Amino acid sequence: MLAVDGVSKRFGGLMAVDSASLALEPGGIVGLIGPNGAGKTTLFSMISGFVPPSDGRIRFEGTDITAEEPHRRAQRGIGRTFQIVQPFAGLTVCENIAVGAYLRHAKRADATARAREVARRVGLGAELDRPAGGLTVAGRKRLELARALATEPKLLLLDEVLAGLNPSEIRDIIPVIRGIRDEGVTILMIEHVMQAVMNLCERVYVLAQGRMIAEGPPAAVCADPRVIEAYLGHGAAARLAAEGAAHG
Amino acid sequence: MTARDLIPIAVLTILAALLPLVVTSSPVLNFLVFMLIVALGAQGWNILGGFGGQFSFGHAAFFGTGAYVTAILQLRYGVNAWAGLVLATGAGAVVGWSIGYLSFRSGLRGSYFALVTLAFAEVFRILANAASFTGGAAGLLIKLDVSPANLQFADRAVFYWLVLALVAAVLLLTRWIQRSRFGAQLVAVRENEDAAKALGVDSLAVKLRAIALSGAVTALSGCLYAQYFLYIDANIAYGSWISVELLLAPIIGGVGTVFGPVVGALTLHGLGEVAKQFAGRIPGIDLIVFGGVLVLAVAFARGGILGLLERLRDRGRGMVARGTKEVSHAGR
Ligand SMILES: Nc1ncnc2c1ncn2[C@@H]1O[C@H](COP(=O)(O)OP(=O)(O)O)[C@@H](O)[C@H]1O
Ligand SMILES: [Mg+2]
């Protein structure tokens, strides 16, 4: 469904993303993990059209979309959330979500009905008429998810929607994400909460310093020495193995 | 749109339409017509600036285009005034779209966009002042030929009703925008353009539609100005005075609201007239009043007069709600 092929992004002297590739089949939840500054958000921005790649190709459902504008990609069915939440602060929660719903429903009544439905689903049913600017962090994260969901995407890119939530809020939202997947939406999620990654993702990609260094089922990837080194520094994998042997 | 959306517009229009039956003095009617023409132009500004968040400092570019197009068509080509009205409105849309295309395509926003609109208005003013086609510095006089067919009426009240009907039509248009997908997308672009794009909003197309509509409405008001006073020159039609008025009225009345521009125009010109009555010998006293009202609005009423009223109402409701709570506490 999505094929990212050798995509790079250079910001001045910095290679934020360096020839990264990934491929998604329809259905399922795939994770994208990696240390801070690895280039995950930049990769999302290239897939959704906000940042033009310096190199490489992106295909969606067989069509080359590398040069397409963000709104065209949303129309094709690529929805995204922003890591740094971007609410329409002056509008109510319902109006925020309705902007997403208008993509597939031209009539106000239909778009509003759809917005209410989505709001209830992500747990914002009680906040519909509140100004979005007044929501808590958790509320704003839910709003990001709700708006993207209201566009009825085929592919949903979630950028750290669990960051800043407490454990009970995370427990609430995990079934929601699983429910979206069960409806047939393909999900690619950037996540730092490893418990959620283990819980939700069938497969994960690991990005470190702009390069895709590993890919596979979450448990296997987390045991991969290259991944451990990427997170904990050079030599960490060997040190951990040695410690493990000493304790054994 | 529901009955609740339409009734306030209908009621206010009918009340305003009854005014000439009570007030028959020509200076007062003159004032009302002029005030409504400004209100109409300000409604045009509000579509782009209020709903779209793209503040223009140069709406004179559209006002003047409307005025000159109708005047030139009538004088040089013998076009009927009613046809001139329609063509002037269309010309405003074209000029709006073109200025929008040039500035939005290159990603101009905020103060850069404001400055570019100001520059366009100034260039138009200088060109109109220089070219013989536009009458140069002498301006253009539309021939006095009173006849409804020429959009000139013996009775000032008729012109008042015409402008009022157009103001009402634009109130309806604005209400429709507020209730439509286009309006939701326009407001979304104002609030956060990137978020809007991520939700599939073609922000360039939305802004172009807004500036074309805005230009059309403001050009219509410029055309009515020319038609009422039957004289224009570059400093009137493309002068910065009108850019300022068209921007002040919505800001004072309530930016991005349906009634804001009308309330603002009425307030500004009402106060301006009062000041002239009391201190008519001080030149520019009405401008001083405008400045004072603007300072007050910016300092104390960010949402303009309508925003202030809404806050007072909410506070009133809050007090009522608290009151009932206390009563129920006391009851227990
Ligand atoms: N617009 C930008 N201009 C310059 N540098 C950027 C820009 N966006 C991101 N970067 C840099 O690119 C790197 C990757 O950032 P990002 O994609 O946000 O990482 P991640 O999401 O994995 O934490 C960082 O070093 C960041 O500072
Ligand atoms: Mg990030």
Side-chain angles (χ1 to χ4, degrees):
Chain A
M1 137 173 272
L2 178 74
V4 175
D5 199 4
V7 156
S8 302
K9 182 66 202 181
R10 182 189 292 279
F11 289 120
L14 173 82
M15 275 307 253
V17 176
D18 188 355
S19 192
S21 300
L22 64 77
L24 301 183
E25 294 303 317
I29 304 180
V30 173
L32 177 61
I33 64 172
N36 273 326
K40 305 181 296 293
T41 297
T42 305
L43 183 57
F44 263 30
S45 294
M46 289 192 284
I47 298 173
S48 53
F50 285 89
V51 168
S54 317
D55 200 12
R57 310 255 111 227
I58 300 166
R59 274 178 303 131
F60 182 67
E61 296 186 314
T63 315
D64 191 323
I65 57 164
T66 315
E68 250 180 20
E69 299 227 39
H71 70 268
R72 280 288 301 137
R73 302 191 202 201
Q75 286 162 7
R76 282 185 188 279
I78 301 180
R80 75 165 289 180
T81 68
F82 290 91
Q83 179 180 2
I84 300 166
V85 293
Q86 312 274 351
F88 304 125
L91 308 187
T92 66
V93 166
C94 185
E95 287 166 340
N96 264 265
I97 306 172
V99 174
Y102 269 122
L103 181 57
R104 317 263 178 230
H105 304 274
K107 287 217 195 83
R108 176 179 159 89
D110 299 344
T112 309
R114 175 87 191 128
R116 291 177 178 279
E117 199 181 303
V118 172
R120 268 194 295 279
R121 191 152 171 212
V122 303
L124 283 172
E127 330 258 6
L128 276 166
D129 297 320
R130 279 187 56 178
L135 289 176
T136 60
V137 175
R140 286 167 192 229
K141 293 277 182 181
R142 283 170 197 267
L143 183 59
E144 280 288 324
L145 180 61
R147 279 195 321 201
L149 203 53
T151 65
E152 298 168 31
K154 296 176 190 163
L155 170 65
L156 188 53
L157 308 171
L158 303 179
D159 196 348
E160 301 200 21
V161 284
L162 305 182
L165 304 194
N166 65 38
S168 97
E169 288 164 342
I170 292 176
R171 264 198 306 279
D172 289 344
I173 207 97
I174 281 182
V176 175
I177 296 174
R178 207 175 268 136
I180 298 167
R181 189 253 338 252
D182 291 342
E183 279 179 3
V185 179
T186 311
I187 298 174
L188 178 62
M189 61 188 301
I190 297 176
E191 206 37 83
H192 278 304
V193 181
M194 283 315 278
Q195 167 216 352
V197 174
M198 295 290 185
N199 234 315
L200 284 169
C201 302
E202 289 109 50
R203 214 151 55 87
V204 297
Y205 282 91
V206 188
L207 199 62
Q209 294 177 345
R211 290 169 187 274
M212 214 54 104
I213 57 166
E215 184 255 314
V221 161
C222 288
D224 188 324
R226 282 173 303 177
V227 176
I228 297 170
E229 299 218 344
Y231 273 93
L232 300 176
H234 187 64
R239 253 189 345 265
L240 281 179
E243 275 174 30
H247 285 295
Chain B
M1 292 202 282
T2 63
R4 267 190 63 188
D5 291 335
L6 303 179
I7 287 169
I9 296 174
V11 170
L12 285 174
T13 308
I14 291 167
L15 286 179
L18 296 176
L19 223 52
L21 305 181
V22 191
V23 187
T24 46
S25 110
S26 330
V28 175
L29 272 178
N30 266 340
F31 162 77
L32 288 175
V33 169
F34 180 59
M35 197 276 301
L36 280 181
I37 289 174
V38 170
L40 184 65
Q43 286 180 300
W45 185 95
N46 191 44
I47 292 173
L48 180 67
F51 289 94
Q54 314 295 320
F55 275 42
S56 151
F57 285 1
H59 254 51
F62 310 126
F63 186 87
T65 297
Y68 270 107
V69 165
T70 192
I72 290 172
L73 285 176
Q74 290 179 59
L75 288 171
R76 305 236 188 279
Y77 302 100
V79 173
N80 172 269
W82 289 93
L85 183 98
V86 173
L87 292 170
T89 307
V94 171
V95 171
W97 193 91
S98 310
I99 292 179
Y101 189 80
L102 292 173
S103 33
F104 297 141
R105 265 301 289 251
S106 42
L108 292 181
R109 301 184 199 191
S111 38
Y112 295 99
F113 174 71
L115 287 176
V116 164
T117 56
L118 180 66
F120 270 105
E122 275 300 285
V123 168
F124 289 170
R125 186 180 66 80
I126 291 163
L127 289 179
N129 205 37
S132 58
F133 183 64
T134 51
L140 293 173
L141 264 167
I142 295 177
K143 198 161 58 106
L144 180 70
D145 186 359
V146 177
S147 150
N150 294 336
L151 201 48
Q152 296 181 26
F153 307 99
D155 186 352
R156 285 175 205 281
V158 178
F159 206 92
Y160 169 84
W161 284 320
L162 173 70
V163 184
L164 178 65
L166 292 169
V167 168
V170 179
L171 284 176
L172 288 176
L173 170 73
T174 314
R175 180 65 86 195
W176 171 81
I177 290 174
Q178 206 180 37
R179 299 284 183 249
S180 70
R181 162 152 80 175
F182 165 62
Q185 294 185 333
L186 185 58
V187 168
V189 167
R190 173 189 78 197
E191 294 287 316
N192 190 322
E193 191 161 348
D194 275 348
K197 285 180 180 171
L199 300 176
V201 176
D202 183 349
S203 65
L204 177 63
V206 165
K207 285 192 280 188
L208 286 178
R209 279 173 75 182
I211 196 171
L213 265 178
S214 177
V217 172
T218 301
L220 177 60
S221 80
C223 168
L224 291 169
Y225 182 97
Q227 202 58 38
Y228 188 68
F229 295 101
L230 299 177
Y231 171 74
I232 52 167
D233 67 20
N235 290 326
I236 294 174
Y238 284 124
S240 55
W241 72 277
I242 187 70
S243 292
V244 172
E245 293 228 358
L246 300 184
L247 145 113
L248 274 188
I251 290 177
I252 303 292
V255 115
T257 63
V258 172
F259 289 102
V262 180
V263 170
L266 185 64
T267 309
L268 277 177
H269 284 273
L271 289 175
E273 279 308 304
V274 171
K276 269 193 214 159
Q277 297 301 319
F278 283 100
R281 265 166 305 159
I282 306 171
I285 182 71
D286 48 340
L287 294 180
I288 296 172
V289 170
F290 285 13
V293 173
L294 179 65
V295 169
L296 285 178
V298 169
F300 299 110
R302 270 301 169 82
I305 293 170
L306 293 179
L308 189 68
L309 289 179
E310 197 170 314
R311 256 179 296 154
L312 289 176
R313 196 190 61 196
D314 286 351
R315 194 180 297 174
R317 275 203 194 141
M319 261 145 75
V320 171
R322 248 176 287 138
T324 43
K325 220 184 292 93
E326 272 155 29
V327 168
S328 67
H329 272 292
R332 261 191 281 155

